[in-house]
Structures are given as structure tokens and as C-alpha cells.
Amino acid sequence: MALVYTPEPAVAIETAADTTFEEFLDILAGLPLSPLSLTIDVDRKRVCRNHQDVDLTTQEFALLAHLAVH
């Protein structure tokens, strides 16, 4: 299952494996969503933004996937 959203043109968001939970929430809060630019592939545990992989920790992905599905 893949969920797809597209934000309006946005500034680059860098994520790192050592991102804190609060930083992750700030990233999500600053992400304007609309169809086609953010892809969350729950089955493959992969997130792409503007056709580029987003590096998330296992916990960050789990939270994002949970929020997207629910």
C-alpha cells in the first residue's frame, strides 16, 4: 500500500538518523501536504519526497505511517 501526497514547492528538509522526536514533529508540522509529491510506501517502509528517498529512523517511519494510515 502506498499513500501519496504532494506539497506545494517547499524548501529542502534534511532528516538524519539522530533526529529527535521534537525535531521530527517540527518537520511534519512544516510539511504542507497536497497530492503527488510525498509517497509513503508502508509495505516497503520507504518515504519519498519529490522523488527522493527520505532518511527516517524505524521509529520515525512507524509514527509517520501510523499517522498517514489513520
Side-chain angles (χ1 to χ4, degrees):
M1 171 167 92
L3 305 172
V4 180
Y5 289 91
T6 303
E8 295 177 14
V11 297
I13 295 176
E14 294 182 22
T15 59
D18 60 348
T19 304
T20 67
F21 180 71
E22 289 78 17
E23 291 169 333
F24 179 65
L25 291 179
D26 288 341
I27 291 169
L28 288 180
L31 188 64
L33 297 179
S34 57
L36 298 177
S37 180
L38 180 69
T39 304
I40 304 167
D41 189 334
V42 177
D43 296 328
R44 292 187 176 127
K45 297 182 179 174
R46 182 176 175 196
V47 176
C48 294
R49 183 165 186 249
N50 295 324
H51 306 289
Q52 295 181 6
D53 287 339
V54 176
D55 184 27
L56 298 176
T57 65
T58 302
Q59 187 175 11
E60 290 169 342
F61 179 82
L63 176 60
L64 181 60
H66 176 79
L67 293 172
V69 170
H70 293 88

Short mmCIF file of all heavy atoms in Angstrom, two decimals:
data_model
loop_
_atom_site.label_atom_id
_atom_site.label_comp_id
_atom_site.label_asym_id
_atom_site.label_seq_id
_atom_site.Cartn_x
_atom_site.Cartn_y
_atom_site.Cartn_z
N MET A 1 0.84 -1.16 0.00
CA MET A 1 0.00 0.00 0.00
C MET A 1 0.90 1.23 0.00
O MET A 1 1.82 1.31 0.78
CB MET A 1 -0.88 -0.02 1.25
CG MET A 1 -1.64 1.25 1.45
SD MET A 1 -2.94 1.12 2.67
CE MET A 1 -2.09 1.63 4.13
N ALA A 2 0.63 2.18 -0.86
CA ALA A 2 1.38 3.42 -0.90
C ALA A 2 0.42 4.59 -0.78
O ALA A 2 -0.62 4.61 -1.43
CB ALA A 2 2.19 3.53 -2.18
N LEU A 3 0.75 5.53 0.08
CA LEU A 3 -0.04 6.74 0.25
C LEU A 3 0.73 7.87 -0.41
O LEU A 3 1.93 8.00 -0.21
CB LEU A 3 -0.23 7.03 1.73
CG LEU A 3 -0.83 5.89 2.54
CD1 LEU A 3 -0.81 6.22 4.01
CD2 LEU A 3 -2.25 5.61 2.08
N VAL A 4 0.06 8.68 -1.18
CA VAL A 4 0.76 9.70 -1.96
C VAL A 4 0.16 11.08 -1.68
O VAL A 4 -1.03 11.26 -1.77
CB VAL A 4 0.67 9.40 -3.47
CG1 VAL A 4 1.40 10.44 -4.27
CG2 VAL A 4 1.22 8.01 -3.77
N TYR A 5 1.03 12.04 -1.35
CA TYR A 5 0.65 13.43 -1.16
C TYR A 5 1.69 14.32 -1.82
O TYR A 5 2.85 13.94 -1.94
CB TYR A 5 0.57 13.80 0.33
CG TYR A 5 -0.58 13.18 1.03
CD1 TYR A 5 -0.45 11.95 1.65
CD2 TYR A 5 -1.80 13.81 1.07
CE1 TYR A 5 -1.52 11.35 2.29
CE2 TYR A 5 -2.88 13.23 1.71
CZ TYR A 5 -2.74 12.00 2.32
OH TYR A 5 -3.80 11.42 2.94
N THR A 6 1.31 15.50 -2.24
CA THR A 6 2.25 16.43 -2.86
C THR A 6 2.18 17.78 -2.17
O THR A 6 1.13 18.40 -2.17
CB THR A 6 1.92 16.66 -4.34
OG1 THR A 6 1.93 15.43 -5.01
CG2 THR A 6 2.93 17.60 -4.98
N PRO A 7 3.27 18.22 -1.58
CA PRO A 7 3.26 19.57 -1.05
C PRO A 7 3.50 20.58 -2.16
O PRO A 7 4.01 20.23 -3.22
CB PRO A 7 4.44 19.59 -0.06
CG PRO A 7 5.34 18.51 -0.54
CD PRO A 7 4.48 17.51 -1.25
N GLU A 8 3.11 21.82 -1.93
CA GLU A 8 3.46 22.88 -2.86
C GLU A 8 4.98 22.98 -2.84
O GLU A 8 5.62 22.45 -1.94
CB GLU A 8 2.82 24.18 -2.40
CG GLU A 8 1.31 24.14 -2.45
CD GLU A 8 0.70 25.42 -1.92
OE1 GLU A 8 1.42 26.42 -1.78
OE2 GLU A 8 -0.50 25.40 -1.66
N PRO A 9 5.60 23.66 -3.80
CA PRO A 9 7.06 23.78 -3.77
C PRO A 9 7.51 24.21 -2.39
O PRO A 9 7.01 25.18 -1.84
CB PRO A 9 7.36 24.85 -4.82
CG PRO A 9 6.20 24.78 -5.75
CD PRO A 9 5.01 24.38 -4.92
N ALA A 10 8.43 23.45 -1.84
CA ALA A 10 8.85 23.69 -0.46
C ALA A 10 10.36 23.70 -0.38
O ALA A 10 11.05 23.23 -1.28
CB ALA A 10 8.30 22.59 0.44
N VAL A 11 10.85 24.22 0.70
CA VAL A 11 12.30 24.21 0.93
C VAL A 11 12.73 22.80 1.28
O VAL A 11 11.94 22.00 1.74
CB VAL A 11 12.70 25.18 2.06
CG1 VAL A 11 12.36 26.61 1.68
CG2 VAL A 11 12.02 24.80 3.35
N ALA A 12 13.99 22.49 1.02
CA ALA A 12 14.52 21.16 1.31
C ALA A 12 14.48 20.91 2.81
O ALA A 12 14.80 21.77 3.61
CB ALA A 12 15.94 21.04 0.80
N ILE A 13 14.09 19.70 3.17
CA ILE A 13 14.07 19.29 4.57
C ILE A 13 15.07 18.17 4.73
O ILE A 13 14.98 17.14 4.07
CB ILE A 13 12.66 18.81 4.99
CG1 ILE A 13 11.67 19.97 4.92
CG2 ILE A 13 12.70 18.24 6.39
CD1 ILE A 13 10.25 19.57 5.22
N GLU A 14 16.02 18.37 5.60
CA GLU A 14 17.02 17.34 5.84
C GLU A 14 16.62 16.57 7.09
O GLU A 14 16.25 17.14 8.09
CB GLU A 14 18.39 17.97 6.05
CG GLU A 14 18.92 18.66 4.81
CD GLU A 14 20.31 19.23 5.02
OE1 GLU A 14 21.01 18.76 5.93
OE2 GLU A 14 20.66 20.14 4.28
N THR A 15 16.71 15.25 7.00
CA THR A 15 16.48 14.42 8.18
C THR A 15 17.70 13.55 8.38
O THR A 15 18.40 13.21 7.45
CB THR A 15 15.23 13.53 8.01
OG1 THR A 15 15.42 12.70 6.87
CG2 THR A 15 13.97 14.36 7.84
N ALA A 16 17.94 13.22 9.61
CA ALA A 16 19.10 12.39 9.92
C ALA A 16 18.67 11.31 10.89
O ALA A 16 17.63 11.42 11.55
CB ALA A 16 20.21 13.24 10.54
N ALA A 17 19.47 10.27 10.99
CA ALA A 17 19.15 9.16 11.87
C ALA A 17 19.09 9.60 13.32
O ALA A 17 18.44 8.96 14.14
CB ALA A 17 20.17 8.04 11.69
N ASP A 18 19.74 10.71 13.68
CA ASP A 18 19.75 11.17 15.06
C ASP A 18 18.75 12.29 15.32
O ASP A 18 18.84 13.01 16.30
CB ASP A 18 21.14 11.61 15.47
CG ASP A 18 21.68 12.75 14.61
OD1 ASP A 18 21.09 13.04 13.57
OD2 ASP A 18 22.71 13.31 15.00
N THR A 19 17.72 12.42 14.48
CA THR A 19 16.69 13.43 14.66
C THR A 19 15.90 13.13 15.93
O THR A 19 15.50 12.01 16.17
CB THR A 19 15.72 13.41 13.46
OG1 THR A 19 16.46 13.61 12.26
CG2 THR A 19 14.65 14.45 13.59
N THR A 20 15.69 14.16 16.74
CA THR A 20 14.89 13.97 17.95
C THR A 20 13.42 13.93 17.58
O THR A 20 13.01 14.34 16.49
CB THR A 20 15.12 15.13 18.94
OG1 THR A 20 14.59 16.32 18.39
CG2 THR A 20 16.59 15.28 19.30
N PHE A 21 12.63 13.43 18.51
CA PHE A 21 11.19 13.35 18.28
C PHE A 21 10.61 14.75 18.06
O PHE A 21 9.78 14.95 17.18
CB PHE A 21 10.51 12.67 19.48
CG PHE A 21 9.03 12.55 19.33
CD1 PHE A 21 8.48 11.67 18.42
CD2 PHE A 21 8.17 13.33 20.10
CE1 PHE A 21 7.10 11.56 18.27
CE2 PHE A 21 6.81 13.22 19.97
CZ PHE A 21 6.27 12.34 19.05
N GLU A 22 11.08 15.73 18.83
CA GLU A 22 10.59 17.09 18.68
C GLU A 22 10.97 17.66 17.32
O GLU A 22 10.17 18.34 16.68
CB GLU A 22 11.15 17.98 19.80
CG GLU A 22 10.55 17.69 21.16
CD GLU A 22 11.13 16.45 21.83
OE1 GLU A 22 12.20 15.96 21.41
OE2 GLU A 22 10.48 15.95 22.77
N GLU A 23 12.19 17.38 16.84
CA GLU A 23 12.61 17.83 15.52
C GLU A 23 11.76 17.18 14.43
O GLU A 23 11.38 17.81 13.45
CB GLU A 23 14.09 17.53 15.28
CG GLU A 23 15.02 18.36 16.13
CD GLU A 23 16.46 17.88 16.08
OE1 GLU A 23 16.70 16.68 15.85
OE2 GLU A 23 17.34 18.73 16.27
N PHE A 24 11.45 15.89 14.63
CA PHE A 24 10.61 15.17 13.68
C PHE A 24 9.22 15.80 13.61
O PHE A 24 8.66 15.99 12.53
CB PHE A 24 10.54 13.70 14.05
CG PHE A 24 9.68 12.88 13.13
CD1 PHE A 24 10.03 12.69 11.81
CD2 PHE A 24 8.51 12.29 13.60
CE1 PHE A 24 9.24 11.94 10.96
CE2 PHE A 24 7.73 11.53 12.75
CZ PHE A 24 8.08 11.35 11.43
N LEU A 25 8.66 16.15 14.76
CA LEU A 25 7.35 16.80 14.77
C LEU A 25 7.41 18.15 14.08
O LEU A 25 6.46 18.53 13.38
CB LEU A 25 6.85 16.95 16.21
CG LEU A 25 6.46 15.65 16.92
CD1 LEU A 25 6.01 15.95 18.34
CD2 LEU A 25 5.40 14.89 16.16
N ASP A 26 8.52 18.88 14.26
CA ASP A 26 8.68 20.16 13.56
C ASP A 26 8.72 19.96 12.05
O ASP A 26 8.16 20.75 11.29
CB ASP A 26 9.96 20.87 14.02
CG ASP A 26 9.85 21.43 15.42
OD1 ASP A 26 8.71 21.61 15.91
OD2 ASP A 26 10.90 21.69 16.03
N ILE A 27 9.40 18.90 11.61
CA ILE A 27 9.46 18.58 10.18
C ILE A 27 8.05 18.31 9.66
O ILE A 27 7.64 18.85 8.62
CB ILE A 27 10.38 17.38 9.91
CG1 ILE A 27 11.83 17.76 10.18
CG2 ILE A 27 10.21 16.86 8.47
CD1 ILE A 27 12.78 16.58 10.20
N LEU A 28 7.28 17.49 10.38
CA LEU A 28 5.92 17.18 9.95
C LEU A 28 5.04 18.43 9.95
O LEU A 28 4.25 18.64 9.03
CB LEU A 28 5.29 16.13 10.86
CG LEU A 28 5.83 14.71 10.73
CD1 LEU A 28 5.11 13.79 11.71
CD2 LEU A 28 5.67 14.19 9.32
N ALA A 29 5.20 19.28 10.95
CA ALA A 29 4.39 20.49 11.05
C ALA A 29 4.68 21.45 9.89
O ALA A 29 3.79 22.16 9.44
CB ALA A 29 4.63 21.18 12.38
N GLY A 30 5.91 21.44 9.41
CA GLY A 30 6.28 22.34 8.32
C GLY A 30 6.07 21.77 6.95
O GLY A 30 6.46 22.36 5.94
N LEU A 31 5.43 20.61 6.85
CA LEU A 31 5.25 19.93 5.58
C LEU A 31 3.85 20.20 5.04
O LEU A 31 2.88 19.58 5.47
CB LEU A 31 5.47 18.43 5.78
CG LEU A 31 5.51 17.55 4.56
CD1 LEU A 31 6.71 17.91 3.69
CD2 LEU A 31 5.61 16.09 4.98
N PRO A 32 3.70 21.13 4.11
CA PRO A 32 2.37 21.37 3.53
C PRO A 32 2.01 20.22 2.58
O PRO A 32 2.75 19.93 1.66
CB PRO A 32 2.55 22.68 2.77
CG PRO A 32 4.00 22.75 2.45
CD PRO A 32 4.71 21.99 3.54
N LEU A 33 0.90 19.56 2.83
CA LEU A 33 0.54 18.37 2.05
C LEU A 33 -0.55 18.66 1.04
O LEU A 33 -1.54 19.31 1.32
CB LEU A 33 0.09 17.24 2.98
CG LEU A 33 1.13 16.73 3.96
CD1 LEU A 33 0.53 15.64 4.83
CD2 LEU A 33 2.33 16.20 3.23
N SER A 34 -0.37 18.13 -0.16
CA SER A 34 -1.35 18.10 -1.22
C SER A 34 -0.92 16.98 -2.16
O SER A 34 0.20 16.50 -2.06
CB SER A 34 -1.45 19.46 -1.91
OG SER A 34 -0.20 19.82 -2.40
N PRO A 35 -1.75 16.50 -3.08
CA PRO A 35 -1.46 15.29 -3.84
C PRO A 35 -0.14 15.27 -4.64
O PRO A 35 0.28 16.26 -5.18
CB PRO A 35 -2.63 15.18 -4.80
CG PRO A 35 -3.71 15.96 -4.16
CD PRO A 35 -3.03 17.06 -3.38
N LEU A 36 0.52 14.14 -4.65
CA LEU A 36 1.56 13.66 -5.56
C LEU A 36 3.04 13.87 -5.25
O LEU A 36 3.85 13.40 -6.01
CB LEU A 36 1.31 14.13 -6.99
CG LEU A 36 0.02 13.62 -7.61
CD1 LEU A 36 -0.17 14.20 -8.98
CD2 LEU A 36 -0.08 12.14 -7.62
N SER A 37 3.46 14.52 -4.21
CA SER A 37 4.88 14.73 -4.02
C SER A 37 5.49 13.97 -2.85
O SER A 37 6.68 13.80 -2.80
CB SER A 37 5.18 16.21 -3.88
OG SER A 37 6.54 16.43 -3.71
N LEU A 38 4.70 13.52 -1.91
CA LEU A 38 5.19 12.73 -0.79
C LEU A 38 4.59 11.35 -0.90
O LEU A 38 3.38 11.19 -0.93
CB LEU A 38 4.79 13.37 0.55
CG LEU A 38 5.25 12.63 1.79
CD1 LEU A 38 6.77 12.74 1.91
CD2 LEU A 38 4.58 13.18 3.02
N THR A 39 5.43 10.33 -1.01
CA THR A 39 4.96 8.95 -1.11
C THR A 39 5.41 8.18 0.12
O THR A 39 6.60 8.16 0.44
CB THR A 39 5.53 8.26 -2.37
OG1 THR A 39 5.18 9.03 -3.51
CG2 THR A 39 5.01 6.86 -2.50
N ILE A 40 4.45 7.57 0.79
CA ILE A 40 4.74 6.73 1.94
C ILE A 40 4.37 5.31 1.55
O ILE A 40 3.19 4.98 1.42
CB ILE A 40 3.93 7.17 3.18
CG1 ILE A 40 4.18 8.64 3.49
CG2 ILE A 40 4.25 6.28 4.38
CD1 ILE A 40 3.22 9.23 4.48
N ASP A 41 5.37 4.47 1.34
CA ASP A 41 5.14 3.08 0.97
C ASP A 41 5.24 2.25 2.24
O ASP A 41 6.33 1.93 2.72
CB ASP A 41 6.17 2.62 -0.06
CG ASP A 41 5.84 1.25 -0.63
OD1 ASP A 41 5.16 0.46 0.06
OD2 ASP A 41 6.26 0.98 -1.76
N VAL A 42 4.08 1.94 2.81
CA VAL A 42 4.03 1.24 4.10
C VAL A 42 4.61 -0.16 3.99
O VAL A 42 5.32 -0.62 4.88
CB VAL A 42 2.57 1.21 4.63
CG1 VAL A 42 2.47 0.43 5.92
CG2 VAL A 42 2.05 2.63 4.83
N ASP A 43 4.34 -0.85 2.89
CA ASP A 43 4.83 -2.22 2.73
C ASP A 43 6.35 -2.28 2.63
O ASP A 43 6.98 -3.17 3.20
CB ASP A 43 4.21 -2.87 1.49
CG ASP A 43 2.71 -3.02 1.61
OD1 ASP A 43 2.23 -3.20 2.76
OD2 ASP A 43 2.01 -2.94 0.59
N ARG A 44 6.95 -1.36 1.92
CA ARG A 44 8.41 -1.36 1.74
C ARG A 44 9.14 -0.49 2.77
O ARG A 44 10.35 -0.37 2.74
CB ARG A 44 8.76 -0.88 0.34
CG ARG A 44 8.33 -1.84 -0.73
CD ARG A 44 8.84 -1.40 -2.08
NE ARG A 44 8.50 -2.40 -3.07
CZ ARG A 44 7.86 -2.15 -4.19
NH1 ARG A 44 7.52 -0.92 -4.50
NH2 ARG A 44 7.57 -3.13 -5.03
N LYS A 45 8.35 0.15 3.64
CA LYS A 45 8.91 1.04 4.67
C LYS A 45 9.83 2.09 4.03
O LYS A 45 10.98 2.25 4.40
CB LYS A 45 9.64 0.24 5.74
CG LYS A 45 8.70 -0.68 6.49
CD LYS A 45 9.39 -1.43 7.59
CE LYS A 45 8.34 -2.30 8.27
NZ LYS A 45 8.90 -3.17 9.25
N ARG A 46 9.25 2.81 3.07
CA ARG A 46 10.01 3.79 2.30
C ARG A 46 9.20 5.08 2.16
O ARG A 46 8.00 5.04 1.92
CB ARG A 46 10.30 3.20 0.93
CG ARG A 46 11.11 4.06 0.03
CD ARG A 46 11.41 3.33 -1.26
NE ARG A 46 12.09 4.22 -2.17
CZ ARG A 46 12.21 4.01 -3.45
NH1 ARG A 46 11.72 2.92 -3.99
NH2 ARG A 46 12.85 4.87 -4.20
N VAL A 47 9.88 6.21 2.30
CA VAL A 47 9.25 7.51 2.12
C VAL A 47 10.05 8.26 1.06
O VAL A 47 11.27 8.33 1.12
CB VAL A 47 9.24 8.33 3.44
CG1 VAL A 47 8.66 9.72 3.20
CG2 VAL A 47 8.45 7.59 4.51
N CYS A 48 9.35 8.80 0.06
CA CYS A 48 9.99 9.60 -0.99
C CYS A 48 9.32 10.97 -1.01
O CYS A 48 8.10 11.07 -0.92
CB CYS A 48 9.83 8.95 -2.36
SG CYS A 48 10.69 7.40 -2.51
N ARG A 49 10.13 11.99 -1.14
CA ARG A 49 9.63 13.36 -1.26
C ARG A 49 10.26 13.95 -2.51
O ARG A 49 11.47 13.97 -2.64
CB ARG A 49 10.02 14.18 -0.04
CG ARG A 49 9.46 15.57 -0.09
CD ARG A 49 9.54 16.20 1.28
NE ARG A 49 8.87 17.47 1.22
CZ ARG A 49 9.50 18.63 1.31
NH1 ARG A 49 10.79 18.67 1.50
NH2 ARG A 49 8.82 19.74 1.24
N ASN A 50 9.42 14.41 -3.41
CA ASN A 50 9.88 14.92 -4.71
C ASN A 50 10.77 13.89 -5.40
O ASN A 50 11.82 14.23 -5.93
CB ASN A 50 10.59 16.26 -4.55
CG ASN A 50 9.66 17.34 -4.05
OD1 ASN A 50 8.49 17.36 -4.41
ND2 ASN A 50 10.15 18.21 -3.20
N HIS A 51 10.38 12.63 -5.35
CA HIS A 51 11.06 11.50 -5.98
C HIS A 51 12.45 11.23 -5.40
O HIS A 51 13.28 10.60 -6.04
CB HIS A 51 11.16 11.71 -7.50
CG HIS A 51 9.82 11.96 -8.11
ND1 HIS A 51 8.86 11.00 -8.23
CD2 HIS A 51 9.28 13.10 -8.62
CE1 HIS A 51 7.79 11.51 -8.79
NE2 HIS A 51 8.02 12.79 -9.04
N GLN A 52 12.71 11.68 -4.17
CA GLN A 52 13.98 11.40 -3.49
C GLN A 52 13.67 10.73 -2.16
O GLN A 52 12.76 11.15 -1.45
CB GLN A 52 14.78 12.68 -3.25
CG GLN A 52 15.22 13.36 -4.51
CD GLN A 52 16.02 14.63 -4.23
OE1 GLN A 52 16.35 14.94 -3.10
NE2 GLN A 52 16.35 15.35 -5.29
N ASP A 53 14.44 9.68 -1.84
CA ASP A 53 14.24 8.98 -0.58
C ASP A 53 14.46 9.91 0.60
O ASP A 53 15.36 10.76 0.58
CB ASP A 53 15.18 7.79 -0.46
CG ASP A 53 14.77 6.63 -1.35
OD1 ASP A 53 13.59 6.57 -1.75
OD2 ASP A 53 15.63 5.79 -1.64
N VAL A 54 13.64 9.74 1.63
CA VAL A 54 13.79 10.48 2.88
C VAL A 54 14.33 9.50 3.91
O VAL A 54 13.78 8.42 4.09
CB VAL A 54 12.43 11.06 3.34
CG1 VAL A 54 12.58 11.74 4.69
CG2 VAL A 54 11.87 12.00 2.30
N ASP A 55 15.41 9.87 4.57
CA ASP A 55 16.05 9.00 5.55
C ASP A 55 15.37 9.18 6.90
O ASP A 55 15.52 10.22 7.54
CB ASP A 55 17.54 9.35 5.65
CG ASP A 55 18.30 8.44 6.59
OD1 ASP A 55 17.87 7.28 6.78
OD2 ASP A 55 19.32 8.89 7.14
N LEU A 56 14.59 8.18 7.32
CA LEU A 56 13.92 8.20 8.61
C LEU A 56 14.36 7.00 9.44
O LEU A 56 14.64 5.94 8.89
CB LEU A 56 12.40 8.14 8.44
CG LEU A 56 11.72 9.27 7.69
CD1 LEU A 56 10.23 8.98 7.54
CD2 LEU A 56 11.93 10.59 8.39
N THR A 57 14.37 7.18 10.74
CA THR A 57 14.65 6.04 11.62
C THR A 57 13.42 5.13 11.61
O THR A 57 12.33 5.51 11.14
CB THR A 57 14.92 6.50 13.06
OG1 THR A 57 13.72 7.08 13.60
CG2 THR A 57 16.08 7.48 13.13
N THR A 58 13.57 3.94 12.15
CA THR A 58 12.46 2.99 12.21
C THR A 58 11.30 3.58 12.99
O THR A 58 10.14 3.48 12.58
CB THR A 58 12.93 1.67 12.86
OG1 THR A 58 14.01 1.15 12.10
CG2 THR A 58 11.81 0.65 12.91
N GLN A 59 11.59 4.22 14.10
CA GLN A 59 10.54 4.82 14.92
C GLN A 59 9.87 5.99 14.21
O GLN A 59 8.64 6.14 14.26
CB GLN A 59 11.11 5.27 16.25
CG GLN A 59 10.06 5.75 17.22
CD GLN A 59 10.63 6.08 18.59
OE1 GLN A 59 11.84 6.14 18.76
NE2 GLN A 59 9.76 6.30 19.56
N GLU A 60 10.63 6.82 13.53
CA GLU A 60 10.06 7.94 12.79
C GLU A 60 9.14 7.43 11.69
O GLU A 60 8.04 7.96 11.49
CB GLU A 60 11.17 8.79 12.17
CG GLU A 60 11.97 9.58 13.18
CD GLU A 60 13.22 10.21 12.59
OE1 GLU A 60 13.68 9.78 11.51
OE2 GLU A 60 13.74 11.14 13.23
N PHE A 61 9.58 6.38 10.96
CA PHE A 61 8.74 5.83 9.91
C PHE A 61 7.46 5.25 10.48
O PHE A 61 6.37 5.47 9.95
CB PHE A 61 9.47 4.76 9.09
CG PHE A 61 8.56 4.19 8.03
CD1 PHE A 61 8.40 4.86 6.84
CD2 PHE A 61 7.84 3.04 8.27
CE1 PHE A 61 7.51 4.38 5.88
CE2 PHE A 61 6.96 2.55 7.32
CZ PHE A 61 6.80 3.22 6.12
N ALA A 62 7.58 4.52 11.59
CA ALA A 62 6.40 3.91 12.21
C ALA A 62 5.38 4.96 12.60
O ALA A 62 4.17 4.79 12.37
CB ALA A 62 6.82 3.08 13.42
N LEU A 63 5.84 6.06 13.17
CA LEU A 63 4.93 7.14 13.56
C LEU A 63 4.28 7.78 12.34
O LEU A 63 3.06 7.98 12.30
CB LEU A 63 5.67 8.19 14.38
CG LEU A 63 4.85 9.42 14.78
CD1 LEU A 63 3.65 9.04 15.63
CD2 LEU A 63 5.74 10.42 15.51
N LEU A 64 5.08 8.09 11.33
CA LEU A 64 4.55 8.71 10.12
C LEU A 64 3.54 7.79 9.43
O LEU A 64 2.47 8.22 9.03
CB LEU A 64 5.67 9.06 9.16
CG LEU A 64 5.26 9.72 7.85
CD1 LEU A 64 4.54 11.04 8.11
CD2 LEU A 64 6.47 9.94 6.96
N ALA A 65 3.87 6.51 9.32
CA ALA A 65 2.96 5.55 8.69
C ALA A 65 1.66 5.44 9.47
O ALA A 65 0.56 5.40 8.90
CB ALA A 65 3.64 4.19 8.55
N HIS A 66 1.77 5.39 10.78
CA HIS A 66 0.56 5.30 11.63
C HIS A 66 -0.33 6.52 11.41
O HIS A 66 -1.55 6.38 11.24
CB HIS A 66 0.96 5.18 13.10
CG HIS A 66 -0.22 5.18 14.03
ND1 HIS A 66 -0.99 4.07 14.24
CD2 HIS A 66 -0.76 6.18 14.76
CE1 HIS A 66 -1.97 4.38 15.08
NE2 HIS A 66 -1.84 5.65 15.41
N LEU A 67 0.28 7.71 11.43
CA LEU A 67 -0.50 8.92 11.22
C LEU A 67 -1.12 8.96 9.83
O LEU A 67 -2.28 9.37 9.67
CB LEU A 67 0.39 10.15 11.42
CG LEU A 67 0.89 10.39 12.85
CD1 LEU A 67 1.91 11.51 12.87
CD2 LEU A 67 -0.27 10.69 13.78
N ALA A 68 -0.39 8.52 8.83
CA ALA A 68 -0.90 8.53 7.45
C ALA A 68 -2.06 7.56 7.27
O ALA A 68 -3.05 7.87 6.60
CB ALA A 68 0.22 8.22 6.48
N VAL A 69 -1.94 6.39 7.86
CA VAL A 69 -2.98 5.36 7.70
C VAL A 69 -4.24 5.72 8.48
O VAL A 69 -5.34 5.46 8.04
CB VAL A 69 -2.45 3.98 8.13
CG1 VAL A 69 -3.55 2.96 8.21
CG2 VAL A 69 -1.38 3.52 7.15
N HIS A 70 -4.07 6.36 9.62
CA HIS A 70 -5.21 6.68 10.47
C HIS A 70 -5.62 8.12 10.30
O HIS A 70 -6.45 8.65 10.87
CB HIS A 70 -4.88 6.38 11.93
CG HIS A 70 -4.71 4.91 12.14
ND1 HIS A 70 -3.49 4.28 11.98
CD2 HIS A 70 -5.57 3.94 12.48
CE1 HIS A 70 -3.63 2.99 12.21
NE2 HIS A 70 -4.86 2.77 12.51
#
